[in-house]
Amino acid sequence: MVERKKKHILNNKMLRNLGDFACTLPALSFIVVFTYIPLIQLFYYSLTDWNLLNSNLRFIGAENYEWLFVGNGSKYLWASLKITIIYTIGVLFFTVIGGLLLALVFSNNSKVFRILRPMVFFPRYISTSCAAVVFLWILNTNNGILNQILGLIDLEKVDWLGQRGTALFSIIVISGWKNIGYGMLIYLSAMSGIPKMYYEAASLDGASKIKQFITITLPALIPTIQFLLITSFIASMKAFQTIDIMTEGGPFRTTEVIVYLIYRYAMIDFRMGRASAISIILLVIISICTYLIIKIRKWEGDEINVDE
């Protein structure tokens, strides 16, 4: 009797588990169809010599990867990775560091700062393509407002997007301008959750504002910093629209980030096999870097628990 009752309970539990799993099937099916199957196809295409001008697919193994790492394509791949890293570091600086500095300034709840906050965040709502077109006019060599201002103070006009030294810097500043308000808002949201009594106790102990920031605010913001690092890193590694509209990877391929390199091979050279191989490499890089950021945060958490 007891054995039969146990079996009945076990069967009911299995049925409930199957019912719960069945509820996830639509979402799982969507993920499999639109994420994992395309990834498998992408990896397969990276092992072929698929050319959009020719419908025939020929399996060539790892030749595309060999061409990218040790062949003629290696110089373009490494140059593109270097440019992408510089761009990513620049955008992360604006989002993570610049956003934090703005959050400290705008944490004041006065009426003026409450009005200014939406103005700082507003660029986030502007589409990337629209912002790129506007800045094309602002940075225009002959008629751009920025060079007009330089002319008023007797400085020479600068070809912001047409010379090696300023093109990538200009792209980074534009992307940073769009993202800094987003970082500020995320920090402000996190800072509002820090209990005020911590600051009151620190003030009673005679701690300065700087010490309060280092000992209270910054440790409380570490999960937020991790979130911004991961999301901004992934978004920066996938940058495309701004470069496509403003420089098309130029001048002399000095703004050719890795996603634009994929676009060049796929849609300009029609070499889908090589483009697929670079896409797989990008996927691996983003996955590894995201994993490392998460692991570093976990290690830090373990150390804090040990110390406590």
Side-chain angles (χ1 to χ4, degrees):
M1 184 71 180
V2 175
E3 197 69 31
R4 190 183 300 170
K5 191 174 182 180
K6 285 183 179 178
K7 189 180 288 186
H8 180 70
I9 293 170
L10 185 62
N11 289 336
N12 286 340
K13 189 176 180 180
M14 289 178 62
L15 286 172
R16 284 197 301 271
N17 290 338
L18 285 172
D20 294 341
F21 178 74
C23 293
T24 66
L25 282 177
L28 287 174
S29 302
F30 189 87
I31 292 171
V32 169
V33 171
F34 292 101
T35 301
Y36 293 110
I37 291 177
L39 278 176
I40 294 169
Q41 288 180 320
L42 181 69
F43 180 70
Y44 171 72
Y45 292 145
S46 72
L47 303 176
T48 69
D49 64 346
W50 183 21
N51 191 313
L52 288 180
L53 300 178
N54 186 350
S55 60
N56 294 326
L57 281 177
R58 186 169 63 91
F59 184 82
I60 58 173
E63 285 186 22
N64 287 326
Y65 295 96
E66 183 181 349
W67 182 81
L68 285 170
F69 284 109
V70 295
N72 294 332
S74 61
K75 60 180 179 180
Y76 300 116
L77 176 64
W78 297 121
S80 183
L81 280 172
K82 180 183 175 182
I83 292 164
T84 305
I85 290 169
I86 294 171
Y87 172 84
T88 300
I89 291 171
V91 174
L92 286 176
F93 175 82
F94 275 97
T95 308
V96 179
I97 307 299
L100 178 58
L101 294 175
L102 281 182
L104 293 173
V105 172
F106 284 88
S107 60
N108 190 316
N109 282 322
S110 66
K111 187 176 180 180
V112 175
F113 284 100
R114 285 200 300 268
I115 294 171
L116 289 175
R117 278 179 207 160
M119 295 175 65
V120 175
F121 182 71
F122 179 73
R124 181 74 179 183
Y125 288 111
I126 302 173
S127 70
T128 303
S129 55
C130 291
V133 171
V134 170
F135 274 95
L136 272 176
W137 285 100
I138 293 173
L139 300 176
N140 185 272
T141 306
N142 298 316
N143 303 310
I145 188 171
L146 188 55
N147 277 337
Q148 295 295 329
I149 294 170
L150 292 177
L152 292 174
I153 55 177
D154 296 327
L155 292 176
E156 290 186 6
K157 292 181 179 180
V158 178
D159 187 5
W160 296 101
L161 300 175
Q163 58 186 28
R164 293 173 181 268
T166 57
L168 183 59
F169 174 77
S170 301
I171 297 293
I172 291 172
V173 170
I174 293 164
S175 299
W177 168 78
K178 268 186 61 64
N179 289 299
I180 194 169
Y182 168 74
M184 178 199 73
L185 199 67
I186 296 296
Y187 279 123
L188 284 173
S189 177
M191 288 165 65
S192 66
I194 304 173
K196 301 296 181 186
M197 60 182 178
Y198 293 166
Y199 296 101
E200 293 169 1
S203 298
L204 290 173
D205 290 338
S208 64
K209 292 291 184 183
I210 295 175
K211 193 169 184 181
Q212 289 179 31
F213 170 74
I214 294 172
T215 58
I216 300 172
T217 309
L218 194 57
L221 291 178
I222 286 176
T224 306
I225 292 171
Q226 182 192 24
F227 168 77
L228 284 173
L229 279 173
I230 293 172
T231 54
S232 300
F233 171 78
I234 293 172
S236 300
M237 290 292 288
K238 298 188 297 180
F240 173 76
Q241 278 184 303
T242 308
I243 288 93
D244 182 43
I245 293 171
M246 300 190 71
T247 63
E248 295 183 343
F252 309 106
R253 305 182 81 157
T254 54
T255 59
E256 190 176 68
V257 293
I258 193 163
V259 174
Y260 195 85
L261 182 66
I262 294 170
Y263 170 78
R264 180 185 294 278
Y265 282 129
M267 298 298 156
I268 299 177
D269 297 341
F270 305 114
R271 302 299 296 267
M272 290 297 294
R274 292 176 179 177
S276 300
I278 302 173
S279 300
I280 293 294
I281 293 168
L282 177 60
L283 173 65
V284 171
I285 292 171
I286 291 176
S287 301
I288 291 172
C289 291
T290 303
Y291 174 78
L292 290 176
I293 292 171
I294 294 171
K295 288 296 289 184
I296 289 169
R297 172 60 186 144
K298 286 183 178 178
W299 291 334
E300 288 175 354
D302 293 339
E303 288 176 5
I304 290 169
N305 291 332
V306 171
D307 290 340
E308 288 176 351

